[in-house]
Amino acid sequence: MTQIKEETITSFTENLKSRCLVAYPESIEDLKEVLTFAKNNQKTICARGSGYSYGDMILNTNEIVLNVSRMDRILSWNPENGEMIVEPGAKFSDIFTKSLPDNWTLSACPGGDITVGGAVSNNVHGKDSWKSGNFGALVKDIKLLLSNGSVLTLNENENVDLFYAVIGGMGLLGIILEITLTLKKIPSPFVEVSSFVSKDISETIEKIEKLRETSDFLVSWVDCFPRGKSLGRGYVTTAKWIESDVKVESNLVSNSCKVPNRVFGIFPSGPTWFLLRPFFLPSSIKKVNKLHYFLAKMMDRKKKIMLFTDWNFMHHKIPNLKHVYRPHGFLEFQPMIPRRHGAKPMVDIIKLCQKFDSESLLCGVKLHGKDDFMISYSDDAFSLGIDIQLRNRKIEKIKEFQKELLALTTNLEGKFYLAKDEMITKESFEVMYPKRILFQGLKEKYDKENVFSSDMYQRLFV
């Protein structure tokens, strides 16, 4: 029997903690043992990978958390057609190490340590969502273990309704055993990167609209502190694949994907974040952002060639940044607003942040694309990430901010990203995700005993 032991686990933001029974299966047989144990003891199961979900969808208080990180094998790789079969605990970095040297890439990539099972369950997006789609666009087949012990194959031809529910389905319909992916062919593992400075958030949106036609990737940094004519100033970074005869070995990609222990390769991350905590305040970040914007202006429109993983995982230069928020952690909100509304909603959101002294310390704007998965964070839309440290903050004021942000978002037919949520109500969820009715019907059909659950499920569905 797979060992099941009591542990305290946290959300990625480290502000939520939960006492759970945790299992670490290594095979399908282990998974079935845990499933039998759960049913015999009237326990629910919540699947968890690397733990990069920000909110409560990877917590299951007093119940079972199934950590699939040890089921991490790449079962097959075909460099001729780009097809790869993986277990749910396989990480994006593992896939890039295999595929990039053969000129194949994984789209919709937010981070190297994210597991494929988690990427499916959240239908994650990257800096190329509007062009290459969300993660579900790569998924060809899924093998799913149901609560009754049977295994189904899901794809565009078999169990189609379940296929469209499991992708983005937060692990609530079954346990993913295997995923078949179809990767994207690229001319080389290298991208040409450029940045374009914007005087305010409206100009950022204008630049994104213009640059989307000639770019493969887009993301922007936004300074949420300035007011008036400089409101939301920042820059847009673009990248596009280029032709190159330079051959890249697997070990180079592997090293590029590894998260180092030192900030900028110099300072040990643990002591660095400990020492910086007293200074990591809005007043300090406001000054840092001013300097960052000044330096960005010096790099305006300059181009450089980079290995894709070096560029996409640039945050590796500041490893374990979230530790600077300790001991209380942080909250993140990522409202998505339909693109048809233009730049005004982004202006209104930043002003709302300023109204409640909730300026995002780190903020980015992304452009998204629409898909048809049932509970999917997708639309022809812009999103803006807002992170708020909890140290020296009153939760009541943050709740007031969240309430107004929620109203603004729903009034414009937008939505919040569930992978980063822990606060929206059941009523708001039902407005944002109208296909949840179809999803709930499938859950009642395939998981009659509600074996698969989470703290988020209890909050939004029950």
Side-chain angles (χ1 to χ4, degrees):
M1 172 68 188
T2 301
Q3 185 180 10
I4 300 176
K5 57 183 179 179
E6 193 172 352
E7 295 181 14
T8 297
I9 57 178
T10 67
S11 61
F12 178 76
T13 55
E14 298 189 349
N15 69 303
L16 295 177
K17 294 183 179 180
S18 176
R19 198 69 179 165
C20 310
L21 297 172
V22 184
Y24 294 86
E26 298 182 17
S27 66
I28 295 175
E29 290 71 26
D30 290 347
L31 291 173
K32 289 185 176 181
E33 285 183 358
V34 176
L35 181 58
T36 299
F37 174 86
K39 295 171 73 173
N40 288 344
N41 291 275
Q42 295 184 315
K43 293 290 185 181
T44 63
I45 294 174
C46 169
R48 178 184 174 107
S50 295
Y52 277 79
S53 293
Y54 284 41
D56 54 359
M57 70 165 55
I58 52 173
L59 305 180
N60 201 20
T61 303
N62 298 322
E63 304 290 334
I64 298 172
V65 168
L66 193 68
N67 190 314
V68 300
S69 59
R70 295 178 184 174
M71 296 182 65
D72 60 354
R73 294 180 299 164
I74 294 178
L75 302 173
S76 70
W77 165 234
N78 186 337
E80 298 300 318
N81 63 8
E83 187 170 290
M84 181 179 287
I85 303 175
V86 302
E87 291 183 323
K91 295 180 179 180
F92 280 32
S93 55
D94 302 326
I95 294 175
F96 280 119
T97 298
K98 282 276 189 184
S99 68
L100 269 188
D102 293 323
N103 290 357
W104 292 90
T105 192
L106 193 63
S107 303
C109 177
D113 286 335
I114 291 173
T115 61
V116 177
V120 172
S121 295
N122 290 288
N123 191 25
V124 298
H125 58 272
K127 303 176 184 72
D128 55 353
S129 172
W130 92 97
K131 187 166 189 174
S132 299
N134 301 314
F135 195 78
L138 301 173
V139 179
K140 182 180 180 181
D141 287 286
I142 299 171
K143 285 188 179 179
L144 189 74
L145 175 64
L146 299 179
S147 58
N148 63 10
S150 63
V151 176
L152 293 182
T153 298
L154 320 179
N155 54 43
E156 294 280 5
N157 299 307
E158 302 175 79
N159 302 300
V160 180
D161 55 350
L162 202 52
F163 179 72
Y164 275 84
V166 168
I167 296 174
M170 300 174 282
L172 296 173
L173 296 168
I175 302 170
I176 296 173
L177 304 177
E178 290 181 12
I179 308 99
T180 302
L181 302 171
T182 303
L183 276 61
K184 179 182 177 180
K185 189 66 175 176
I186 51 176
S188 80
F190 297 94
V191 289
E192 181 184 86
V193 181
S194 305
S195 291
F196 303 84
V197 171
S198 304
K199 67 179 185 296
D200 58 26
I201 187 64
S202 296
E203 187 175 28
T204 289
I205 299 301
E206 290 175 9
K207 286 187 183 319
I208 291 174
E209 291 286 11
K210 179 180 179 180
L211 294 167
R212 69 195 296 267
E213 302 298 331
T214 56
S215 305
D216 292 312
F217 302 91
L218 279 171
V219 68
S220 68
W221 171 79
V222 176
D223 185 355
C224 289
F225 289 95
R227 299 171 184 253
K229 293 182 179 180
S230 297
L231 184 94
R233 67 185 177 188
Y235 57 85
V236 180
T237 299
T238 70
K240 57 184 178 182
W241 298 107
I242 63 167
E243 298 279 352
S244 176
D245 295 328
V246 177
K247 295 297 180 183
V248 173
E249 299 296 330
S250 294
N251 62 339
L252 180 64
V253 179
S254 178
N255 289 334
S256 173
C257 292
K258 287 179 181 176
V259 179
N261 294 319
R262 292 180 175 269
V263 179
F264 300 118
I266 301 171
F267 310 105
S269 63
T272 297
W273 302 132
F274 176 79
L275 293 172
L276 287 179
R277 275 174 212 160
F279 308 100
F280 198 78
L281 301 167
S283 57
S284 302
I285 299 303
K286 183 177 181 179
K287 295 175 183 176
V288 171
N289 281 3
K290 188 174 183 179
L291 174 62
H292 185 58
Y293 182 70
F294 173 77
L295 294 175
K297 290 171 71 174
M298 296 175 63
M299 299 300 295
D300 188 35
R301 301 177 185 272
K302 292 183 179 179
K303 298 178 180 180
K304 55 183 174 181
I305 306 299
M306 300 179 69
L307 181 66
F308 173 71
T309 45
D310 283 342
W311 174 72
N312 199 54
F313 304 143
M314 288 189 73
H315 56 279
H316 285 180
K317 294 181 179 179
I318 46 175
N320 300 316
L321 175 60
K322 67 173 183 173
H323 293 175
V324 80
Y325 293 101
R326 288 178 173 176
H328 304 295
F330 66 101
L331 286 170
E332 178 147 347
F333 306 99
Q334 190 174 352
M336 169 186 282
I337 308 296
R339 183 168 149 252
R340 65 179 181 272
H341 296 298
K344 187 178 184 303
M346 297 293 116
V347 173
D348 293 340
I349 289 173
I350 294 175
K351 287 182 177 180
L352 190 63
C353 292
Q354 294 175 349
K355 173 184 174 181
F356 286 93
D357 296 322
S358 294
E359 293 93 344
S360 182
L361 303 188
L362 302 169
C363 183
V365 170
K366 291 181 182 177
L367 178 62
H368 296 260
K370 186 175 178 57
D371 61 36
D372 295 320
F373 300 105
M374 288 185 190
I375 310 294
S376 182
Y377 182 73
S378 72
D379 203 347
D380 180 18
F382 293 103
S383 73
L384 186 143
I386 305 163
D387 70 276
I388 303 172
Q389 68 179 65
L390 291 174
R391 183 162 53 92
N392 299 328
R393 299 301 305 271
K394 292 183 178 180
I395 192 65
E396 292 78 14
K397 191 168 185 179
I398 294 176
K399 286 181 178 179
E400 290 178 22
F401 164 70
Q402 188 260 4
K403 185 178 180 180
E404 289 202 25
L405 180 62
L406 197 60
L408 186 156
T409 303
T410 51
N411 287 341
L412 295 173
E413 298 181 296
K415 60 184 70 173
F416 275 25
Y417 191 22
L418 296 179
K420 294 184 177 180
D421 174 67
E422 61 186 70
M423 293 181 69
I424 67 170
T425 62
K426 180 180 179 181
E427 293 72 25
S428 297
F429 168 66
E430 290 173 350
V431 172
M432 291 178 175
Y433 293 88
K435 290 185 180 180
R436 89 219 172 271
I437 298 173
L438 298 174
F439 182 90
Q440 189 69 37
L442 289 172
K443 183 160 178 64
E444 291 170 1
K445 177 180 178 181
Y446 290 101
D447 185 22
K448 293 182 175 66
E449 301 173 52
N450 265 338
V451 173
F452 302 110
S453 185
S454 66
D455 287 357
M456 175 175 278
Y457 177 75
Q458 295 298 318
R459 176 167 58 92
L460 298 182
F461 284 90
V462 176

